[in-house]
Amino acid sequence: MEALCGTLTHLPQLKELNLCFNNLGKCGNAETVMKALCGSMAHLPQLEKLNLIDNHLGDSVANILPAAAHLKKLDLSGNDISPGVKQRLALAANVTPGLNLEL
């Protein structure tokens, strides 16, 4: 994941990133994976769509919202997110203009 995130910082024109079905949460600590991804997103100002379907990231996906303010679509479905975190994500998405959040 570190290599991918390092590469992403060199792609500021990237508009869409599809990382679905990569079991990212099983590649290491899900919190560490999400921190690395969030750090990379600061270098992706034109990113509009991020797909993280079925990556076993659990509740660590909640860390992405502050970094996702510029996204138009964020798909976090199939990540075993607890109901409480889903509710927090949905509320946060409601106050993020233009964000389509899939849980």
Side-chain angles (χ1 to χ4, degrees), residues 26-76:
K26 291 186 176 181
C27 294
N29 180 307
E31 291 285 333
T32 304
V33 169
M34 291 308 299
K35 283 182 184 178
L37 185 57
C38 290
S40 296
M41 288 178 64
H43 301 280
L44 301 172
Q46 294 187 24
L47 188 66
E48 296 177 352
K49 296 179 184 179
L50 178 58
N51 184 344
L52 293 171
I53 295 173
D54 284 326
N55 275 295
H56 305 282
L57 294 167
D59 289 345
S60 69
V61 297
N63 296 327
I64 201 158
L65 274 184
H70 61 285
L71 293 178
K72 292 182 181 177
K73 180 166 176 110
L74 175 60
D75 198 333
L76 301 173

Side-chain angles (χ1 to χ4, degrees), residues 62 65-66 85-97 99 101:
L65 274 184
V85 171
K86 279 186 179 182
Q87 184 178 19
R88 282 193 354 237
L89 287 166
L91 289 171
N94 284 338
V95 296
T96 305
L99 176 62
L101 177 65

